[in-house]
Amino acid sequence: LPVGMVDPKLMPLIGNPIQMTSGGADTISAPDHKTQLVQFCQRYTERPVAKGDIEYTHFRFDGGIQAKVKVICVDGREFVGEMAQTPKDAEKAAAAQAMLGYKSEIEQVNSKAEGKKRKLPMPTAEFPATKVARVGAGGGTSD
């Protein structure tokens, strides 16, 4: 699978994660597997991913580089990706394997999210919808 392409096997799990790139309005691309893994972890744990939640380890061989990802924030499982020419591509390959490994968890998170609609909090007396102008120390009233 070329770098930057979404694995078709993952599309039913992650939906259609298309975002605009700096290439212009006609150029679209899906987030890479590392980004998808971070998004899954954030939804699964219901918090932002912190340093140490996802760890990558690289192994150098004559044919290239292989990476292992350990997803500590979910359950600590480790996934090894295919060989690649760069550490970044090796990490993306390991993240792709993690996404496949968490297929049932991804489906669970997605089904849980379908029932929710993100609502903004209603304004209260403490936090009104509009800002109230404060009168400065110099005073001043309007008539």
Side-chain angles (χ1 to χ4, degrees), residues 3-69:
V3 174
M5 298 296 295
V6 174
D7 189 338
K9 293 179 267 182
L10 296 175
M11 288 308 291
L13 302 175
I14 60 174
N16 192 9
I18 294 178
Q19 64 183 13
M20 299 305 290
T21 63
S22 60
D26 296 332
T27 306
I28 56 174
S29 68
D32 62 49
H33 293 102
K34 284 182 67 173
T35 303
Q36 292 170 4
L37 180 60
V38 168
Q39 290 171 349
F40 159 68
C41 289
Q42 288 176 338
R43 290 181 183 159
Y44 186 85
T45 61
E46 298 179 349
R47 64 171 176 81
V49 172
K51 187 174 182 173
D53 283 344
I54 301 172
E55 292 181 354
Y56 289 91
T57 306
H58 303 99
F59 304 97
R60 296 193 182 275
F61 297 99
D62 289 338
I65 301 169
Q66 191 172 33
K68 173 179 72 173
V69 61

Side-chain angles (χ1 to χ4, degrees), residues 75-98:
D75 59 7
R77 281 196 278 173
E78 297 179 340
F79 301 89
V80 178
E82 296 178 9
M83 296 282 284
Q85 295 302 310
T86 66
K88 185 176 181 179
D89 290 342
E91 289 177 1
K92 289 178 183 180
Q97 291 302 313

Side-chain angles (χ1 to χ4, degrees), residues 10 26 39 44 54 74 84 87 89 100 110 112 119 132-133 139 142:
L10 296 175
D26 296 332
Q39 290 171 349
Y44 186 85
I54 301 172
V74 176
D89 290 342
L100 290 173
N110 285 344
K112 188 173 154 183
K119 295 180 182 177
V132 177
S142 60

